[in-house]
């Protein structure tokens, strides 16, 4: 009897190198980058996620990488003041502030950290969201965020595959000059830019996919590769139950599915085993007992505290200070109450 298939499965490329708890990872790009990057951060992997905030287009991502490579700092001449806030055109609005000096400190302290981090990272994960860009008419520069400045002050256009390819053919050798061992993984965000219309969204995504393919063909899969997030969403998850309520963004179930495939193909086996131990501690951290002042909960905290200390001893690079402090404070407080009885 022929088995009926209810899903088309996307073939994922073989990755000759995989990340792990012993490696460093930089995530740059669209909001989908943060979905995957935050999964790794929650599991205590060594990550640096979007030091500029969310970046949607390849030109803005390239600008960001250049800034980090050249260890540039933003000065007050590069800020714009709008709606009572100081903004950087290279950064997401989360860096903006009513205090100019605070804006610069928020931006530049992050840049200093990420510039150093990029020099020694093992993996650079880059997610492109759209091929559409906004150019500030006064300077001609591509902006990462318009910060609600009137649209008339910008020129909007779609990058061509050739523009993206030429930009990255110049950029990536600079990355490898500073960090020869850095492996670059490209992906295209499965989030559709519906405001551009269905047709323009497809043209935009096709532009990104063609550009990435040309970049990988140029440098080879030893240096860079492609993880098919967009294709997984379009084919394996071809159902609106995998979308959020707006029918545009990916639902938590969809994100989990793509994350599981990412983990299966891009994270080594030893790290998957360690992840299970970490998840037990995270589950213990979130546990809220029905009766806090009980012998059972005191024993539970004691075991959790021992598990944290054992993991920290085995893997000193993992940061469990938040969990350890929580267990210790809870344990000491409840033990003290017992002693008062």
């Amino acid at each position: 009897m022929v088995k009926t298939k209810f899903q088309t499965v996307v073939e994922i490329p073989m990755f000759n190198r995989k990340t792990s708890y012993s490696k460093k990872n930089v995530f740059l790009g669209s909001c989908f980058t943060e979905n995957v990057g935050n999964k790794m951060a929650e599991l205590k992997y060594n990550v640096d996620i979007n030091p500029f905030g969310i970046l949607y287009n390849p030109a803005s991502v390239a600008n960001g990488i250049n800034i980090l490579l050249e260890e540039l700092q933003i000065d007050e001449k590069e800020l714009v003041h709008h709606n009572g806030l100081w903004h950087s055109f290279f950064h997401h609005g989360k860096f903006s502030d009513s205090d100019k000096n605070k804006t610069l400190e928020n931006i530049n302290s992050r840049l200093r950290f990420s510039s150093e981090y990029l020099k020694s990272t093992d993996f650079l994960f880059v997610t492109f969201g759209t091929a559409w860009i906004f150019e500030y008419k006064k300077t001609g520069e591509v902006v990462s965020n318009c910060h609600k400045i009137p649209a008339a002050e910008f020129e909007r256009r779609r990058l061509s595959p050739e523009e993206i390819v030429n930009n990255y053919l110049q950029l990536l050798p600079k990355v490898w000059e500073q960090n020869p061992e850095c492996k670059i993984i490209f992906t295209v965000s499965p989030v559709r830019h519906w405001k551009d219309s269905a047709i323009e969204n497809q043209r935009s995504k096709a532009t990104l996919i063609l550009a990435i393919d040309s970049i990988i063909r140029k440098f080879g899969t030893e240096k860079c590769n492609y993880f098919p997030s967009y294709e997984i969403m379009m084919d394996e998850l071809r159902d609106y139950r995998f979308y959020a309520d707006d029918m545009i963004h990916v639902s938590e179930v969809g994100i989990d599915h793509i994350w599981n495939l990412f983990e299966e193909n891009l994270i080594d086996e030893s790290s998957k085993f360690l992840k299970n131990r970490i998840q037990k501690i995270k589950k213990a951290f979130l546990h809220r007992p029905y009766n806090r002042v009980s012998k059972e909960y005191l024993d539970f905290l004691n075991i959790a505290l021992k598990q944290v200390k054992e993991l920290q001893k085995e893997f000193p690079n993992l940061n469990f200070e938040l969990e350890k402090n929580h267990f210790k404070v809870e344990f000491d407080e409840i033990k003290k109450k017992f002693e008062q009885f």
Side-chain angles (χ1 to χ4, degrees), residues 204-218:
S204 171
K205 299 293 187 183
T207 296
L208 301 176
I209 293 167
L210 286 170
I212 291 170
D213 180 62
S214 294
I215 294 166
I216 294 172
R217 286 175 183 273
K218 171 65 179 178

Side-chain angles (χ1 to χ4, degrees), residues 55-161:
L55 302 174
Y56 293 102
N57 69 78
S60 290
V61 173
N63 286 341
I65 294 172
N66 262 318
I67 288 171
L68 296 178
L69 291 174
E70 296 178 19
E71 299 181 19
L72 299 179
Q73 296 278 277
I74 304 300
D75 63 38
E76 61 181 74
K77 294 177 184 177
E78 295 173 278
L79 299 182
V80 292
H81 192 257
H82 183 70
N83 282 344
L85 297 173
W86 290 94
H87 309 278
S88 161
F89 278 138
F90 298 114
H91 291 76
H92 187 269
K94 70 178 185 179
F95 288 93
S96 302
D97 197 271
S98 57
D99 185 325
K100 179 167 53 177
N101 292 327
K102 190 173 180 181
T103 301
L104 289 172
E105 177 55 30
N106 289 341
I107 288 170
N108 289 326
S109 60
R110 190 75 164 82
L111 290 181
R112 287 190 292 271
F113 172 83
S114 296
S115 291
E116 285 299 314
Y117 195 100
L118 182 60
K119 289 178 185 177
S120 58
T121 195
D122 297 281
F123 284 85
L124 171 57
F125 295 97
V126 174
T127 302
F128 294 157
T130 179
W132 285 93
I133 61 170
F134 287 86
E135 294 172 325
Y136 192 42
K137 289 180 180 179
K138 291 180 181 178
T139 62
E141 67 183 356
V142 176
V143 303
S144 301
N145 197 303
C146 295
H147 299 298
K148 298 183 179 179
I149 294 171
E153 297 190 33
F154 301 92
E155 189 72 39
R156 183 175 180 271
R157 68 180 181 87
R158 191 176 71 226
L159 293 167
S160 68

Side-chain angles (χ1 to χ4, degrees), residues 79-290:
L79 299 182
V80 292
H81 192 257
H82 183 70
N83 282 344
L85 297 173
W86 290 94
H87 309 278
S88 161
F89 278 138
F90 298 114
H91 291 76
H92 187 269
K94 70 178 185 179
F95 288 93
S96 302
D97 197 271
S98 57
D99 185 325
K100 179 167 53 177
N101 292 327
K102 190 173 180 181
T103 301
L104 289 172
E105 177 55 30
N106 289 341
I107 288 170
N108 289 326
S109 60
R110 190 75 164 82
L111 290 181
R112 287 190 292 271
F113 172 83
S114 296
S115 291
E116 285 299 314
Y117 195 100
L118 182 60
K119 289 178 185 177
S120 58
T121 195
D122 297 281
F123 284 85
L124 171 57
F125 295 97
V126 174
T127 302
F128 294 157
T130 179
W132 285 93
I133 61 170
F134 287 86
E135 294 172 325
Y136 192 42
K137 289 180 180 179
K138 291 180 181 178
T139 62
E141 67 183 356
V142 176
V143 303
S144 301
N145 197 303
C146 295
H147 299 298
K148 298 183 179 179
I149 294 171
E153 297 190 33
F154 301 92
E155 189 72 39
R156 183 175 180 271
R157 68 180 181 87
R158 191 176 71 226
L159 293 167
S160 68
E162 292 76 20
E163 284 180 286
I164 300 169
V165 172
N166 290 336
N167 196 351
Y168 281 79
L169 291 186
Q170 296 177 55
L171 174 66
L172 297 191
K174 295 179 184 177
V175 174
W176 293 316
E177 183 180 350
Q178 290 195 18
N179 185 353
E181 299 304 313
C182 179
K183 181 71 178 274
I184 299 171
I185 307 294
F186 288 99
T187 190
V188 171
S189 171
V191 179
R192 294 170 294 165
H193 287 251
W194 202 248
K195 290 180 181 179
D196 296 331
S197 80
I199 294 171
E200 283 303 328
N201 172 73
Q202 289 299 92
R203 288 171 178 161
S204 171
K205 299 293 187 183
T207 296
L208 301 176
I209 293 167
L210 286 170
I212 291 170
D213 180 62
S214 294
I215 294 166
I216 294 172
R217 286 175 183 273
K218 171 65 179 178
F219 293 113
T221 54
E222 289 294 318
K223 287 285 191 182
C224 47
N225 215 326
Y226 180 67
F227 181 78
S229 301
Y230 178 76
E231 292 78 3
I232 292 167
M233 191 69 200
M234 294 300 107
D235 279 279
E236 290 194 18
L237 305 182
R238 209 179 340 166
D239 190 305
Y240 275 106
R241 64 189 161 137
F242 297 114
Y243 286 85
D245 290 344
D246 63 3
M247 298 294 114
I248 302 295
H249 289 81
V250 186
S251 70
E252 286 301 316
V253 174
I255 291 169
D256 286 344
H257 178 77
I258 297 173
W259 159 252
N260 289 335
L261 291 174
F262 179 95
E263 182 182 44
E264 179 183 334
N265 290 276
L266 272 160
I267 296 177
D268 73 9
E269 289 302 317
S270 63
S271 293
K272 294 172 191 174
F273 177 74
L274 175 55
K275 178 204 76 172
N276 292 332
R277 295 175 65 188
I278 291 171
Q279 283 182 317
K280 288 180 181 178
I281 291 173
K282 289 183 65 65
K283 186 177 180 180
F285 176 73
L286 295 173
H287 176 64
R288 297 296 179 265
Y290 177 74

